[in-house]
């Protein structure tokens, strides 16, 4: 049977992620030789949301593959804020733990803010602590948040020119849109950030040489909104009856774009690979600098 020809316009997130994981595995091996222990990641899952449980499981499997030791802590959805904070602090204090990741979102009755502040910048492999976001804003990222940093890796691996490019980001969340915009700015792109209150979204999007969509609205980006030759990165992942859907009308937009990420198989795999890379980086920084802030 003939194999389908490879469409070179489609960004292969799994292949890029595999290359990053191979590099991380080598660094983890070297770290273990030098320091007598592997880098360590602790995850904390509160409640039993199946999507969150799946993400946590994928993260542990990925750790195992590259030689990062992982701790899998779970708490019932009924835990109160004090109970949650006690476990976060316990994980933070563990010398063998270099990165602490509290899976978001938390159940409604729990406040994520104290949790974000309780994980010190040096162990904040998600890049959510204000000090890490601040470092990103100053153009000196230490542990940048995983999804936007992963998107940058994809763009670099495909040789996308960012300096001077018009980049448009859809979404301004703390997790994706806002740090994505800061990272693109740090690479000298001219960045427009759009969001749910933006008027005339299509007009903004049409100017993009590089478009990153992170709205979580299936079908939001249609082919008529995309400049011919643009690079289109679809971060959106929405579970629908037809399966996982991105924000971008993939089949139509791929005819217009010069490069495009599929959903799944685009941004997802590189996000997890970046978490592994951040964990090893956190381990290396911690042995070099202790928990002191570094630049
Ligand atoms: N692939 C991955 O690894 C990965 C990682 C993180 C998030 N995601 C996905 O990315 C999407 C965004 O995640 P998030 O955490 O930033 O979500 P969020 O809900 O916190 O933020 C969504 C952002 O999109 C904007 N927005 C919503 N509707 C819009 C519209 N019609 N036009 C313009 N802007 C609009 C909002 O103003 C907001 O800033 C979700 O689908 C999420 O599942 C994927």
């Amino acid at each position: 049977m003939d194999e389908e020809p490879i469409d070179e316009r489609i960004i292969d997130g799994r292949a890029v992620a595999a290359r990053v994981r191979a590099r991380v595995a080598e660094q983890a091996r070297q770290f273990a030789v030098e320091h007598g222990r592997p880098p360590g990641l602790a995850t904390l899952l509160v409640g039993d949301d199946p999507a969150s449980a799946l993400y946590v499981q994928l993260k542990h499997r990925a750790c195992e593959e590259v030689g990062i030791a992982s701790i899998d802590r779970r708490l019932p959805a009924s835990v109160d804020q004090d109970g949650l904070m006690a476990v976060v602090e316990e994980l933070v204090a563990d010398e063998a733990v270099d990165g602490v990741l509290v899976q978001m979102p938390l159940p409604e009755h729990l406040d994520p803010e104290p949790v974000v502040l309780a994980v010190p910048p040096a162990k904040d492999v998600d890049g959510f602590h204000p000090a890490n976001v601040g470092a990103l804003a100053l153009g000196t990222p230490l542990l940048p948040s995983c999804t936007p940093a992963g998107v940058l890796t994809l763009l670099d691996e495909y040789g996308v020119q960012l300096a001077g490019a018009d980049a448009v980001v859809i979404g301004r969340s703390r997790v994706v849109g806002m740090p994505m915009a800061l990272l693109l700015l740090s690479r000298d792109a001219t960045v427009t950030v759009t969001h749910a209150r933006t008027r005339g979204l299509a007009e903004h999007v049409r100017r993009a040489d590089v478009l990153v969509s992170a709205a979580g609205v299936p079908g939001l980006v249609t082919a008529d909104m995309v400049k011919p030759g643009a690079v289109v990165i679809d971060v959106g992942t929405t579970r629908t009856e037809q399966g996982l859907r991105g924000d971008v009308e993939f089949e139509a937009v791929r005819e217009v774009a010069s490069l495009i990420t599929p959903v799944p198989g685009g941004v997802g795999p590189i996000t997890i690979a970046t978490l592994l890379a951040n964990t090893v980086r956190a381990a290396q920084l911690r042995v070099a600098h202790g928990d002191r802030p570094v630049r």
Side-chain angles (χ1 to χ4, degrees):
M1 211 174 80
D2 287 344
E3 282 193 15
E4 266 211 31
I6 292 173
D7 185 338
E8 290 186 349
R9 287 171 300 184
I10 299 178
I11 291 178
D12 188 343
R14 292 193 180 103
V16 176
R19 289 199 285 279
V20 171
R21 282 204 310 271
R23 205 183 61 227
V24 170
E26 176 51 29
Q27 290 169 338
R29 194 192 59 76
Q30 215 169 336
F31 183 92
V33 169
E34 284 169 18
H35 304 286
R37 67 165 182 91
L41 175 72
T43 65
L44 175 55
L45 175 63
V46 185
D48 47 17
D49 173 61
S52 293
L54 177 64
Y55 290 139
V56 167
Q57 189 192 343
L58 289 174
K59 288 167 188 175
H60 284 275
R61 201 180 299 156
C63 280
E64 206 172 304
E65 277 170 24
V66 299
I68 291 175
S70 62
I71 296 176
D72 184 358
R73 287 294 295 268
R74 311 239 165 169
L75 286 169
S78 58
V79 71
D80 64 8
Q81 190 86 32
D82 288 346
L84 168 62
M85 297 310 294
V87 175
V88 173
E89 278 155 24
E90 184 194 315
L91 294 173
V92 165
D94 188 334
E95 272 305 311
V97 168
D98 299 291
V100 176
L101 182 152
V102 182
Q103 185 67 39
M104 301 287 175
L106 294 171
E108 286 277 309
H109 67 283
L110 295 169
D111 182 359
E113 287 306 319
V115 175
V116 168
L117 293 174
V119 178
K123 292 195 176 187
D124 169 37
V125 283
D126 254 339
F128 292 167
H129 191 284
N132 280 333
V133 179
L136 198 60
L138 295 174
T140 55
L142 260 190
L143 295 169
S145 87
C146 300
T147 300
V151 168
L152 213 57
T153 303
L154 291 180
L155 294 171
D156 285 342
E157 285 268 329
Y158 278 81
V160 176
Q161 173 73 32
L162 291 173
D166 280 322
V168 174
V169 179
I170 306 181
R172 59 170 165 186
S173 75
R174 284 197 200 185
V175 181
V176 191
M178 191 262 292
M180 187 74 249
L182 292 172
L183 277 175
L184 289 166
L185 195 58
S186 77
R187 297 289 295 274
D188 299 323
T190 301
V191 183
T192 303
V193 186
T194 65
H195 47 81
R197 304 288 296 272
T198 295
R199 274 181 278 139
L201 179 69
E203 294 308 310
H204 292 286
V205 170
R206 236 171 251 134
R207 281 205 304 274
D209 301 310
V210 177
L211 172 67
V212 181
S213 187
V217 180
L220 179 65
V221 177
T222 51
D224 60 306
M225 293 164 74
V226 175
K227 179 166 146 181
V231 174
V232 178
I233 306 290
D234 192 353
V235 180
T237 46
T238 307
R239 274 162 222 285
T240 71
E241 278 174 8
Q242 293 80 45
L244 205 61
R245 297 250 343 248
D247 292 347
V248 176
E249 290 282 7
F250 180 79
E251 287 304 333
V253 173
R254 72 189 274 192
E255 300 301 329
V256 186
S258 62
L259 283 171
I260 185 168
T261 56
V263 177
V267 174
I270 194 69
T271 293
I272 296 192
T274 307
L275 171 68
L276 305 174
N278 271 358
T279 303
V280 172
R281 186 163 157 72
Q284 291 166 339
L285 287 171
R286 228 159 53 82
V287 294
H289 303 275
D291 290 329
R292 288 192 307 283
V294 285
R295 286 195 62 178

